Amino acid sequence: MSMGYGIESQHKPAGAPHRKPARYLVVIDNAGAMVARLFTETREEVGEFDAGSEEVALMTRGLKPRQDANGSEWDQALEAHNAAERAGADVYTLDV
C-alpha cells in the first residue's frame, strides 16, 4: 500500500518548442497519383499524404485554390515535380 495521498500531480512538459504551423496545402500530381503536401510559411515541408483523404476535404472547405505553384518561391519546395505537374497544382492558403 502506498503512503501517498490522492493522485500524483502531472509532470511539467519538457518545454520543447512547437513546430511551425502549416500555412500552405499543395495538391499536386506525383507520378500519376495525387498527393497533398503541407508547407510552413517559409515553404518548408511538414507533411505529405494522399490527396483523396477526408482531411484534405476538411482543410480546404470554403477555400479557393490558386494555380501559382510555378512561382519562384516554390522552386526549392517543389523541385521534385516537373513544370506540367506544378502548372496543374492547386495551392491553398490555410487559415492559421
Side-chain angles (χ1 to χ4, degrees):
M1 183 163 197
S2 171
M3 299 303 282
Y5 296 100
I7 301 172
E8 272 188 53
S9 64
Q10 294 181 357
H11 298 284
K12 291 184 180 180
H18 292 283
R19 183 174 64 192
K20 293 179 183 177
R23 180 73 173 147
Y24 301 103
L25 174 72
V26 178
V27 177
I28 191 167
D29 182 40
N30 187 24
M34 295 302 286
V35 295
R37 299 178 67 187
L38 289 169
F39 295 92
T40 64
E41 184 75 37
T42 58
R43 311 301 197 277
E44 176 186 347
E45 185 175 6
V46 293
E48 181 178 318
F49 47 95
D50 179 22
S53 68
E54 182 180 351
E55 288 79 5
V56 173
L58 292 173
M59 283 190 278
T60 59
R61 183 178 294 153
L63 299 177
K64 295 190 189 263
R66 296 173 306 176
Q67 272 71 38
D68 65 351
N70 278 330
S72 61
E73 67 275 11
W74 290 103
D75 285 348
Q76 186 175 2
L78 298 175
E79 67 186 354
H81 298 278
N82 62 40
E85 291 171 340
R86 288 178 60 176
D90 289 332
V91 179
Y92 296 89
T93 302
L94 302 175
D95 296 328
V96 182

